[in-house]
Structure formats: C-alpha cells, structure tokens
Amino acid sequence: IKKVELYVNGKYAGEALNAPYLIEWAPETNGTYTLTAKAYDAYGGGEMSERVIVTAKTKLIETVFEYDFETYDGTDNNVPAGGMTNTNNIGVFSPANVDEEHGTSMRCDLTGNQTAGPLFLITPTNTKKGDIIAAEAELMVTNTANRITCFETNANNDAGERVWGTELEFRDGNIVNIKTNQTLMPYETNKWYKIKMVFDFTNKRCDISINGETLVSAQEFVETEWADLLNMRFTLFPQKADTGTMYLDNIRIARVITASEPISITAYSD
C-alpha cells in the first residue's frame, strides 16, 4: 500500500502514507458524516472502502475519576486510583447509609476544634493544560456552623506551581463562592446538594450549578494564571464549630472534549 486517502461526505479530507494509516479529522459542526477511505498500491491502482457513518458532537465526555462509595469501607482500600483520605488526626471517616437513593456514602465527622480538618483529596493524572474540566459531587451537612465544609479545586500555573482555586463553602446557612464572596443560595441541613463546576482552562472561565440550576455562568477566573487542574478537595473545616458532619457521594471528574480536537480514525490497515 502506497497511501490511504480519507473522504468525508465524498470530499477529500486527508491522507496517510505509512501504516497503520491513521488520519486525523475534526468535524467543524454537529451532524452525521459519511466516511470512506481509498487505498492505493504502488502501481497507482486504488480501491474504495465500505462507507462508515458517524455522528459528531461538539462535546464528548471522558471520565477521569468516578466513585459512588458503594465499596467504601472507611479506608482507602477500595478508593479508585487518584483518590485518598486524610484525617489530619481530628476527623473520622466511615461508610454510611443515609437513604435508599444514595446507598453507601462517605461520612466525615469532625472531632476537634482546630483550623484544619479531615479531607477527601482527588488528584487526576490524565488531564492536561487547556482542558475543559467538569467536576461534580453530592454533599450534605448536618449543621449551619461557620465554614463547616468546602468543595475546593486547586490548579497549576504555567510553571507547574500550585494556585488556590475555586472554593465553595456551606457557611452560616448559605452556599458561598469564597473567591468572589458571592452567596449562591441558602441551604438546608440534612439535605443533599448536587454541585457541578465546569472549568475552561483555555478561556479562563467557569460555570457553577447546584441541583441542576446554573448559578454562575462564564465567570472569569479570579486567578488568571490557572492553567490546568491540580486536585479537588472535599474538606471539613472547624473554624467556629468544634464538631460537624459532612456526607459525600457520587464524585465525578471528566474532561470535556470539544470538536476542535482531532479524532483519530483508522482508515485502512494492511
């Protein structure tokens, strides 16, 4: 085989000269496309492949961390790679069955009155600079004490140094975006809240939604040097409260892949 050409909807879209004859093609818009490949031999003869029909979407989701705590036993034994707990010696983690809908979740109890509390930390390894990252989790707290829990992201700058990221706190009866000092909504104790944050590290903007309602849209990063996701932390801080309980469930972190990224298609293999 001398070369393989790729055709999209009958139009030439690229070629490959070496095995395994991978050709990169990126759809410009949503829609259905017909792909064909034509292989040429050393004498110039060519043969067209069968048609392949694909549906392109501008956004695809690649999960990089996901955990529903159904296998959680109070240790890190069954926690997926990239996740870990840290009690800071003043907290206790345990599995809990709060309701039938959530099954097993993580319970975190604060047992001391200090300025640092126990946390669940996630450090994904397969993200990169410029990604769009969607992070979500379900949280519930049992009192309205000051800064009792925190959904926090940290980022790297271009030099690979840590930069403090967005922090959401359940504080004095409200869910607050600490970086902007913005009250997003009041909260009730002993009620689950599904929080989702989407970070666009190319355009330096973020969206925040709670229980499906978008409360922050295309907000510019406060820290403009954010380049990529470093980690996410779910933290129980005592501050004015010497005791407190947080429940955590259904964590998911994903890369949002846009249509501008190339899709590798094996057009023909010898």
Side-chain angles (χ1 to χ4, degrees), residues 160-181:
E161 302 166 330
R162 173 181 170 183
V163 182
W164 287 105
T166 297
E167 297 181 50
L168 297 185
E169 291 184 357
F170 287 68
R171 184 175 68 181
D172 293 333
N174 291 302
I175 300 176
V176 181
N177 183 352
I178 298 304
K179 279 292 183 180
T180 60
N181 198 30

Side-chain angles (χ1 to χ4, degrees), residues 144-214:
T144 56
N146 181 32
R147 200 180 181 188
I148 197 63
T149 188
C150 184
F151 184 169
E152 173 184 279
T153 58
N154 292 309
N156 291 315
N157 60 18
D158 285 326
E161 302 166 330
R162 173 181 170 183
V163 182
W164 287 105
T166 297
E167 297 181 50
L168 297 185
E169 291 184 357
F170 287 68
R171 184 175 68 181
D172 293 333
N174 291 302
I175 300 176
V176 181
N177 183 352
I178 298 304
K179 279 292 183 180
T180 60
N181 198 30
Q182 176 185 11
T183 297
L184 300 180
M185 64 183 298
Y187 75 88
E188 301 175 28
T189 58
N190 302 303
K191 177 180 177 179
W192 286 102
Y193 289 88
K194 184 174 183 177
I195 299 175
K196 181 177 182 179
M197 294 192 282
V198 179
F199 302 92
D200 182 343
F201 284 101
T202 296
N203 298 305
K204 311 293 186 183
R205 297 180 183 276
C206 72
D207 301 334
I208 302 173
S209 63
I210 300 178
N211 292 344
E213 179 183 358
T214 300

Side-chain angles (χ1 to χ4, degrees), residues 128-131 155-158 201 204 225-229:
K128 59 183 178 63
K129 288 184 179 180
D131 273 346
N156 291 315
N157 60 18
D158 285 326
F201 284 101
K204 311 293 186 183
E225 57 187 315
W226 288 358
D228 65 349
L229 179 69

Side-chain angles (χ1 to χ4, degrees), residues 25 27 29-33 54-58 60 259 263:
W25 164 72
T29 61
N30 287 352
T32 300
Y33 296 84
V54 298
T55 300
K57 298 179 180 179
T58 56
L60 305 174
I263 302 171

Side-chain angles (χ1 to χ4, degrees), residues 8-9 25-35 53-60 257-261 263 265:
V8 179
N9 292 343
W25 164 72
E28 295 181 356
T29 61
N30 287 352
T32 300
Y33 296 84
T34 299
L35 309 183
I53 299 175
V54 298
T55 300
K57 298 179 180 179
T58 56
K59 292 186 178 181
L60 305 174
I257 305 171
T258 65
S260 59
E261 296 187 39
I263 302 171
I265 300 174

Side-chain angles (χ1 to χ4, degrees), residues 51-103:
R51 293 184 304 163
V52 176
I53 299 175
V54 298
T55 300
K57 298 179 180 179
T58 56
K59 292 186 178 181
L60 305 174
I61 303 297
E62 177 191 9
T63 299
V64 298
F65 184 91
E66 189 169 24
Y67 193 39
D68 62 6
F69 292 96
E70 289 304 307
T71 62
Y72 185 63
D73 62 2
T75 71
D76 290 344
N77 291 338
N78 299 317
V79 175
M84 63 172 290
T85 55
N86 180 6
T87 67
N88 287 336
N89 298 316
I90 58 171
V92 175
F93 292 100
S94 60
N97 291 92
V98 180
D99 55 49
E100 203 172 296
E101 178 184 350
H102 289 83

